Amino acid sequence: VTTDLLFEGVHFSERTTRAADVGWRAAAANLSDLAAMGARPIGTLIGLGLTPETPVNWVEELYRGFTECADPHGAPILGGDTCRAQSRSIAVTALGIVAPDRVLKRTSAQPTDVLVVTGTLGDSQAGLEVLLDPVRYRESTESDRARVIEAHRRPRARLEVPDLLWQVSSRAAAMDTSDGLADAVLQVSGQSGCGAVVYTDRLPISLPVRRIAGARAEDWALYGGEDFELLLAVPASVAGALLEVLNAAGVKGTAVGQLTPGAGAFDQHGLPLRPPTFEHFTGQKNPSPAS
């Protein structure tokens, strides 16, 4: 069971996110949490907080986007609740099922494990930046802008990955990259009692992101978040086989680092990875407007 809250002005705004995309992203965030624990979805619940001024069409579009994302994965809406509120909010609970010996945890990694990440990183951050400041990125090609905007508005949970993983490995730790790759590495290594090294020159960054981000590409890949890719820590002896299985299934897989004895997560130059720049209850402000 997993749950996730999205608030207007914190997680989405009409400036960048259409109602259908809000629904899609709400579904994807929860399905990604199930994927990160190796679970297969079986259903969802939605709690909606709505202002009196909210158009009915906005609600209908939100549900349309949600079901477009969730239904193909066997996660139908089973129920929920609605409530009058001062701002729009969506609380989703997703239910999944997984065999006890196939639960993916953040605590199962060991020193010398290889860190593998799916997909490409930084795409969602690039899409957000383009949406927030279209004038700044007007020189980028239309196809590059369209690709990263789609990645931001319609991320895809990696629900197919756990079954592929267990084909080659009997042990793994995992977490999704919803708060950035650096945070996922810090969480998995720290909760497993390990250190970590991430090779930033190996980060899977798409050409559109590199062209749009320029010198900030690696930073967006490490800290941008909301890509909903999976970070997997697996024994070194199976890392190569895992990459082959992932790529054969059409899922880009990249070995980006390894776990080490000791503590702390660093890049290959010895610089420490930063924790997330936005924490809800620390008083720190979000470095960019709501997505």
Side-chain angles (χ1 to χ4, degrees):
V1 180
T2 183
T3 190
D4 199 55
L5 294 167
L6 287 85
F7 284 89
E8 187 169 29
V10 177
H11 301 99
F12 64 91
S13 71
E14 290 190 347
R15 181 180 176 187
T16 61
T17 319
R18 302 164 300 194
D21 299 325
V22 174
W24 180 288
R25 286 165 55 84
N30 284 269
L31 295 178
S32 184
D33 283 340
L34 292 180
M37 292 200 71
R40 173 176 58 83
I42 56 177
T44 56
L45 302 165
I46 302 181
L48 282 182
L50 300 171
T51 62
E53 299 79 21
T54 301
V56 172
N57 178 258
W58 189 91
V59 181
E60 292 173 340
E61 285 295 292
L62 179 139
Y63 277 113
R64 180 177 66 81
F66 189 97
T67 56
E68 284 178 351
C69 178
D71 283 4
H73 295 292
I77 298 171
L78 304 176
D81 193 19
T82 57
C83 181
R84 176 174 176 157
Q86 294 182 344
S87 63
R88 297 172 189 168
S89 63
I90 305 102
V92 178
T93 298
L95 309 173
I97 187 168
V98 59
D101 63 345
R102 289 292 184 262
V103 177
L104 291 172
K105 300 178 181 179
R106 303 178 190 180
T107 57
S108 301
Q110 296 179 10
T112 74
D113 279 0
V114 173
L115 296 172
V116 172
V117 70
T118 63
T120 57
L121 302 171
D123 300 73
S124 183
Q125 181 69 38
L128 176 60
E129 297 288 341
V130 170
L131 287 165
L132 290 174
D133 195 356
V135 174
R136 178 176 182 177
Y137 299 100
R138 64 182 182 276
E139 300 301 323
S140 300
T141 67
E142 183 177 350
S143 61
D144 281 357
R145 294 196 303 269
R147 172 169 170 168
V148 297
I149 288 173
E150 178 72 6
H152 177 71
R153 287 176 167 172
R154 297 277 171 131
R156 298 182 183 275
R158 292 295 189 178
L159 289 160
E160 72 275 34
V161 167
D163 285 343
L164 299 172
L165 166 68
W166 294 124
Q167 289 180 24
V168 299
S169 184
S170 59
R171 178 183 59 80
M175 184 176 172
D176 77 358
T177 65
S178 56
D179 290 320
L181 175 65
D183 176 67
V185 172
L186 286 164
Q187 295 275 2
V188 169
S189 61
Q191 293 189 37
S192 294
C194 302
V197 175
V198 172
Y199 302 102
T200 55
D201 56 348
R202 301 180 188 175
L203 296 176
I205 302 172
S206 69
L207 287 176
V209 171
R210 288 197 180 278
R211 287 190 287 258
I212 289 171
R216 295 173 294 169
E218 289 183 1
D219 193 71
W220 289 2
L222 283 170
Y223 303 105
E226 296 190 327
D227 290 308
F228 298 111
E229 298 295 345
L230 290 185
L231 173 72
L232 307 168
V234 299
S237 59
V238 303
L242 174 60
L243 294 176
E244 290 180 3
V245 168
L246 290 173
N247 289 309
V251 179
K252 181 180 176 64
T254 307
V256 295
Q258 66 183 62
L259 297 181
T260 63
F266 305 87
D267 68 15
Q268 72 270 28
H269 305 295
L271 298 175
L273 300 185
R274 304 191 307 266
T277 54
F278 174 62
E279 296 287 348
H280 287 279
F281 297 108
T282 63
Q284 291 178 296
K285 294 183 179 180
N286 197 331
S288 61
S291 57

